[in-house]
Amino acid sequence: MAEGARQDGPPAVRTDWTGQSRPVAPEEPEPLRRRVLTYLKGEGRRTGSAEAIARALLLSGEERAELPSLLRDMQAEGEVLEDEPGVFVAPETVGLVLGRMQASAKGFGFVVPDEREAEDVYVPAEGMAGAMHGDRVLVRVVGPGRDGGHPDGVVERIVRRARESLVGNLERRAEGLCVVPDERRIAYEVWVEPDAALGAEEGEKVVVAITTWPDGQVPCRGRVVARLGRVGEPGVDVLGIVHRYELPTSFPDDVVDEAEAIEERVRPEEIAGRWDLRDLTTVTIDSEESRDLDDAVSLERLADGGYRLGVHIADVSHYVREGTALDREALERGTSVYLVDRVIPMLPERLSNGICSLNPRVERLTMSVFIDFDPAGNRRRYEIGRSVIRTAERMTYKAVNAVLAGDGEARRRYAPLVATFEAMRELMERLRARRDRRGAIDFEPSDEKVVLDSEGRPVEIVRRERTVADQIVEEFMLAANEAVAEHFARQKVPFLYRVHDEPDPDRIEALGEFLAHLGYTLPKADTLHPRMLQAVLQRVAGRPEEHLVSAVTLRALKRARYAAECRGHFGLAAVYYTHFTSPIRRYPDLMIHRIIGESLAGTLTAERRAHYEAILPAVAEQSTQRERRAEDAERESVDLKKVEYMAAHVGEEFTGLVSGVTSFGLFVELENTCEGLVHVSSFLDDYYQYHESRYALVGERTGRMFRLADPVKVRVMRVDPSRNQVELALSDFAEAVRRRQAISAGPRGASRPYSGPPRTAGGTPKGGAR
C-alpha cells in the first residue's frame, strides 16, 4: 500500500477455537530462501542462474547482493542443486527427495521428506550408502514400491550427519575391537584400533567419535573419547543415555564460581521495596523427594465467602542476572532433566536447593501473585509484585492428603493449617469446575515411578494417581500462569508464552476413526473445540480403556511449545497462558521473571523492549528444543528400567490391554505400564489376518478377534534389555510357545528373539495402528 494510503472497511478477522474473532495479522514478506524454493519448484520445475532468479523474483539491490551466498548455503543444505555450472534446480526436478532418515535396526530405512505432502521413501539396506538414523539425506526414487507400498529409493548424498559420536558397548571380535551402538536404529558397528581405545576393554560402555564414515564399501571407524564404566555396573546404562542425548554432566568452573559467590541468606538490603509477607501463612506442597522448592501458596477467606489466593515463586532472577555465566549456562541447559536415577539440574545445587529453594522457616525472595476469587471461583482481581516470605511448613502431597482425608494424627500435627487446606480444596474444586465448563482437556495423568535399589536395579513400578493435593497445586499454578500471561499480553510487553496450537485436521480425523472402533463418537465441525475431546475423555473415564484412549488422544495433539506471541493453549482452553511458576528448573520462567521485574521497577525502557523483542524468539525455540530433549531422555531412561524390571519376571503371567494392532502382532500394555509384543507367529489356534479398517487381527477359521483396548492375559516369554524388547505370548498358547522356542534354540542356546517389524516408517509399523 502506498505511503499515506488507507484501507477502508474493517480488518480481516478469523474465528478460532475460543469463539473469539481476532484480527488476522498482515502477512510479513516471505523470506528470500522460501521465495527461491517456491520459484524453482514452480510450474515446469524451473532452473535458473542467480541472475535469472533475481530477475524473475524482482529482487531489490540488497537481495541481489545476498542471493549468491544464500544459494551456496542452500546448496550445502541440499535444498538446491547445481544442475550445471551456475544453474540451480530444486532436488525434485532431477528425481531427488530431501528429508530425514528414519532407520531400522535391520539396516533398511525410510526417508521422511521435508515436503509434508510427499510420501516417505523406502531405502533397502543395500541403498543406505552409509546413512544413519537421523541424518539429512538426498534420496533418489528408483521405483514405485512393491504391493502399492512406499516408493523405493537409494541414498544419493548425505547432507548432514545427525551426530559426530555414538554411545555403545565395546566388544572384541576376531577382526578386532568394535563398538555396538546403544541406538538400535544404527546398524553399523564402529571399529576401533587398539591405540584408539583410550585403554577401554571389552565389556565397557564408551563414547566413540566417528573418524571414518561408512559408505557401503568402507566400514565405520572411530576412536574412544570417553569410558563410562563396565556394562551392568550401577548407573552405567543411564549414563549412556546422558551422553547419547548430550546432556551436561557438570557445571563449568565460572558457573560454579558465580554460584559460590552468592550468599546463602537474604540480606536486609535485598528486602527493601518488596512486599513483606513473612508473617503471612505460606506453605510449599511437593513430593517427599523434592529439594528444589520453587513455589509456595497461601489462602485467605474473604468476608463475602470469596478467596484470596497467593502464589509465591522463588525470585531466581534476583540471583541469576542476564549475561552472567550462570545465565548463559541456564539458557544452554534450558531445563532440569529428571532421569530415572538422577537429576541434572538447570542451576547449581547451591542455588536450586539452597538460596532459591523456598525451604521452611527461612527468609526467601519471591515473586508473588495475589488473586481474589468470588465464592464461585470467578476471578475478580489480581496483583503482581516482588516479595519476601518465610514458609510455615514444608508439606508433602502425602501429608496434605492425609489431613484432608481426616487422618487424626496428621490433623493434630498440622492443626494450625487444617482450615487452610480445607479452604484450598474448596477453591480447587471451584477452579476445576470452571475450567471444565470452558472445555479444558483433562487427561487424568498418572505418574509412573520405577523404584530402584541401592545398585540402581528396578524393584518395583508404582503408578501414582493424581490426588487432591496434586490438584490443589495444579489449579493454583494454572491460575497464576493465566493471570500473569493475560496481564502482560494486555500490556503488550515483550514476553514468552506457553503455546499449544490447534491439532492437524488429519490427525483428528484418524483419532475419530480410532474412537469409532471403540464405540465413541468425535463430532465433526469446521472448528475443533477442546470441549469435543473433553467430552470423549469424560465418557471413557473409569473404563478399562481409559488410559489407552487418553494416550492416543494425547498423541493426536500437537506438542506444546514456547513462543514470543500469545497464541492460546488449546489443551487448557486458555486464551492466555505462560510458564511462570518454576524458574529454578525452567529457563522460560526465569526469563519472564526478569521481564516482570523490570516492568515492576519501571526500567523496561524502549531500548530494553527492543532487546527482548530481538532475543525472545530464539529463547523460545531453544527452550522448546531443550524441553523435548529432556522429555525424550527421561522417557527412555524409564523405559530402559521397565524392560530390566520385566527381565526378572520371565515366565510370569500378567493382565493387560491391547495398545497396538499390527500385521505382525499385538502390542500389549500391562497393568504395571510395561509394554511388550505378542508376535502373530505365536497365535497357534488359527491364521490371523490384519484388518486395518477395524484395527483388529481376525482368525480366518475361528473368527476370533483381537482389537485395540481388548483385555488379554499374557505370559512373559523373553526379555532382551539390550534391544529394549519384551516378548509376550497369550496365556492360552504360552506353554506350547515355550516348548517350540526350546526346540528352536537347540543345544547351542537361546534362539534369537524377534527384533522388530518389517518396513516401518516414522516409528509406525506398516499396516499397523498404534
Side-chain angles (χ1 to χ4, degrees):
M1 190 177 295
E3 185 178 357
R6 66 185 181 86
Q7 180 175 325
D8 294 324
V13 297
R14 68 178 288 270
T15 303
D16 64 12
W17 57 267
T18 66
Q20 297 184 357
S21 295
R22 297 188 179 187
V24 176
E27 290 189 7
E28 296 182 1
E30 194 173 24
L32 180 56
R33 179 185 295 259
R34 192 177 304 157
R35 288 154 61 197
V36 170
L37 284 175
T38 301
Y39 170 75
L40 292 177
K41 294 178 181 181
E43 186 178 351
R45 302 290 192 189
R46 301 185 182 97
T47 65
S49 63
E51 178 59 30
I53 293 170
R55 286 198 307 269
L57 297 179
L58 303 176
L59 299 187
S60 65
E62 184 178 341
E63 290 173 325
R64 279 175 172 267
E66 179 189 349
L67 184 60
S69 63
L70 174 64
L71 286 170
R72 286 194 296 272
D73 291 345
M74 295 175 71
Q75 192 175 0
E77 290 296 317
E79 295 174 306
V80 301
L81 304 174
E82 204 168 9
D83 190 35
E84 55 184 84
V87 178
F88 298 93
V89 298
E92 294 84 351
T93 303
V94 292
L96 297 177
V97 175
L98 177 65
R100 189 169 301 278
M101 175 62 72
Q102 292 199 344
S104 158
K106 292 187 172 182
F108 63 83
F110 282 84
V111 174
V112 181
D114 287 355
E115 296 285 344
R116 291 186 59 184
E117 298 79 13
E119 194 173 5
D120 295 353
V121 180
Y122 169 71
V123 181
E126 59 272 19
M128 293 288 283
M132 295 184 180
H133 178 71
D135 290 348
R136 282 184 62 74
V137 299
L138 281 165
V139 61
R140 182 174 298 282
V141 176
V142 297
R146 298 185 297 274
D147 303 324
H150 296 284
D152 292 336
V154 296
V155 172
E156 186 91 356
R157 172 185 154 201
I158 297 167
V159 175
R160 187 170 64 248
R161 293 287 185 177
R163 53 184 63 79
E164 297 296 324
S165 62
L166 299 171
V167 177
N169 298 341
L170 188 64
E171 297 184 3
R172 184 174 295 280
R173 306 281 174 80
E175 303 90 336
L177 292 172
C178 72
V179 176
V180 180
D182 286 352
E183 172 56 79
R184 293 177 298 123
R185 291 170 293 186
I186 294 178
Y188 299 95
E189 295 168 339
V190 185
W191 295 92
V192 178
E193 295 295 331
D195 60 356
L198 203 65
E201 299 177 351
E202 181 181 14
E204 288 190 40
K205 189 173 291 292
V206 299
V207 181
V208 59
I210 307 299
T211 56
T212 302
W213 295 98
D215 62 4
Q217 304 296 324
V218 177
C220 189
R221 299 188 181 279
R223 59 184 176 84
V224 174
V225 294
R227 300 168 61 183
L228 307 184
R230 294 202 65 81
V231 175
E233 287 181 347
V236 170
D237 50 359
V238 179
L239 188 57
I241 293 174
V242 170
H243 282 268
R244 185 139 59 85
Y245 283 93
E246 298 181 338
L247 299 172
T249 55
S250 62
F251 285 97
D253 291 343
D254 55 350
V255 175
V256 174
D257 291 343
E258 285 187 3
E260 292 295 328
I262 295 172
E263 291 192 35
E264 294 184 296
R265 63 178 182 84
V266 175
R267 301 192 307 272
E269 60 269 25
E270 293 176 302
I271 297 174
R274 292 176 177 265
W275 295 337
D276 190 342
L277 307 177
R278 286 174 288 186
D279 293 333
L280 179 68
T281 300
T282 59
V283 297
T284 59
I285 307 175
D286 277 281
S287 65
E288 287 86 347
E289 313 88 56
S290 295
R291 297 292 179 267
D292 50 350
L293 312 178
D294 47 16
D295 57 87
V297 291
S298 61
L299 191 68
E300 303 166 85
R301 293 301 297 261
L302 302 177
D304 66 349
Y307 309 85
R308 173 164 295 160
L309 170 65
V311 176
H312 316 279
I313 308 300
D315 189 359
V316 180
S317 64
H318 177 80
Y319 300 101
V320 180
R321 301 301 174 97
E322 185 177 15
T324 60
L326 275 167
D327 182 49
R328 292 193 300 271
E329 183 68 12
L331 174 59
E332 171 60 29
R333 294 182 177 222
T335 181
S336 295
V337 186
Y338 297 86
L339 301 176
V340 69
D341 67 344
R342 70 196 70 191
V343 176
I344 300 175
M346 185 180 79
L347 298 172
E349 286 191 9
R350 184 178 175 88
L351 273 68
S352 62
N353 296 3
I355 189 63
C356 293
S357 183
L358 306 184
N359 298 328
R361 293 173 288 281
V362 293
E363 293 176 350
R364 288 293 184 260
L365 303 181
T366 44
M367 193 79 74
S368 293
V369 181
F370 283 102
I371 310 174
D372 286 359
F373 296 95
D374 67 18
N378 298 304
R379 192 178 74 198
R380 287 172 169 166
R381 60 182 296 275
Y382 60 82
E383 193 172 7
I384 304 168
R386 276 188 150 149
S387 56
V388 58
I389 68 170
R390 184 190 294 117
T391 59
E393 281 288 350
R394 188 261 198 255
M395 299 298 298
T396 65
Y397 296 117
K398 183 177 180 180
V400 173
N401 286 323
V403 169
L404 294 175
D407 181 274
E409 182 180 346
R411 291 174 78 88
R412 285 191 295 273
R413 179 177 176 182
Y414 302 112
L417 298 171
V418 169
T420 299
F421 292 140
E422 289 177 340
M424 286 182 175
R425 177 169 56 187
E426 286 179 17
L427 178 58
M428 175 274 291
E429 291 170 346
R430 286 156 176 74
L431 294 178
R432 187 172 183 185
R434 186 168 165 269
R435 279 203 306 120
D436 285 346
R437 286 194 296 273
R438 77 184 188 199
I441 304 171
D442 195 342
F443 287 100
E444 288 291 346
S446 59
D447 291 332
E448 304 162 14
K449 180 176 176 59
V450 181
V451 181
L452 308 178
D453 64 15
S454 60
E455 296 295 306
R457 295 184 176 85
V459 295
E460 186 181 8
I461 299 175
V462 179
R463 178 178 276 180
R464 180 180 173 276
E465 302 298 334
R466 186 168 53 168
T467 66
V468 172
D470 292 281
Q471 294 174 52
I472 287 172
V473 174
E474 178 182 328
E475 293 298 335
F476 291 0
M477 298 304 118
L478 289 172
N481 286 334
E482 289 188 40
V484 169
E486 181 172 355
H487 178 81
F488 288 95
R490 292 187 180 279
Q491 294 290 319
K492 300 190 184 304
V493 169
F495 216 61
L496 280 179
Y497 298 92
R498 183 65 168 176
V499 169
H500 190 210
D501 294 313
E502 298 175 39
D504 291 331
D506 55 345
R507 283 182 171 268
I508 294 302
E509 182 179 352
L511 174 64
E513 294 174 1
F514 162 77
L515 292 172
H517 285 282
L518 297 181
Y520 302 101
T521 303
L522 184 62
K524 294 186 177 181
D526 293 336
T527 301
L528 180 75
H529 193 283
R531 185 177 293 110
M532 300 172 184
L533 299 178
Q534 178 203 60
V536 172
L537 295 176
Q538 288 175 343
R539 288 200 296 275
V540 78
R543 299 192 179 186
E545 65 269 25
E546 177 183 9
H547 178 68
L548 175 62
V549 171
S550 292
V552 174
T553 303
L554 186 60
R555 287 199 293 266
L557 303 180
K558 291 185 177 179
R559 295 174 80 170
R561 60 187 177 88
Y562 295 103
E565 309 85 30
C566 184
R567 300 173 61 90
H569 194 293
F570 180 84
L572 294 172
V575 178
Y576 306 97
Y577 198 66
T578 190
H579 272 172
F580 162 78
T581 55
S582 296
I584 291 177
R585 61 183 179 88
R586 291 191 305 230
Y587 192 82
D589 307 50
L590 169 57
M591 174 60 79
I592 69 168
H593 275 228
R594 192 172 287 151
I595 296 171
I596 293 170
E598 291 184 39
S599 179
L600 294 173
T603 57
L604 194 61
T605 62
E607 183 180 358
R608 292 297 292 165
R609 283 173 176 260
H611 165 70
Y612 284 121
E613 287 169 353
I615 69 170
L616 287 179
V619 171
E621 178 63 23
Q622 164 84 353
S623 299
T624 298
Q625 294 304 319
R626 288 296 185 253
E627 176 190 49
R628 292 181 180 178
R629 178 181 71 168
E631 289 174 347
D632 291 345
E634 290 166 359
R635 186 181 307 112
E636 186 168 331
S637 75
V638 171
D639 288 346
L640 180 150
K641 291 299 181 183
K642 282 184 178 180
V643 172
E644 185 181 345
Y645 173 82
M646 292 305 296
H649 296 276
V650 172
E652 297 181 22
E653 295 195 343
F654 294 83
T655 57
L657 291 179
V658 175
S659 57
V661 182
T662 75
S663 58
F664 54 86
L666 305 174
F667 286 94
V668 176
E669 183 175 299
L670 309 181
E671 288 181 333
N672 61 14
T673 75
C674 294
E675 190 176 59
L677 175 71
V678 181
H679 194 256
V680 70
S681 62
S682 69
F683 290 48
L684 303 182
D685 63 334
D686 204 343
Y687 182 81
Y688 282 79
Q689 290 276 6
Y690 174 62
H691 291 246
E692 185 171 5
S693 63
R694 299 161 70 183
Y695 297 95
L697 284 176
V698 182
E700 283 188 350
R701 179 176 53 81
T702 63
R704 188 180 185 186
M705 183 183 301
F706 295 93
R707 300 178 303 171
L708 278 171
D710 279 353
V712 290
K713 190 172 184 180
V714 295
R715 183 184 297 181
V716 181
M717 305 305 297
R718 281 190 265 205
V719 175
D720 185 352
S722 67
R723 294 176 174 271
N724 235 28
Q725 291 174 348
V726 177
E727 186 178 338
L728 308 173
L730 296 173
S731 294
D732 297 0
F733 314 130
E735 190 56 35
V737 170
R738 185 193 64 77
R739 289 196 298 270
R740 189 173 68 179
Q741 288 178 344
I743 293 171
S744 66
R748 297 177 62 88
S751 61
R752 183 182 179 89
Y754 174 71
S755 60
R759 283 193 171 204
T760 61
T764 302
K766 185 183 180 186
R770 293 298 306 275

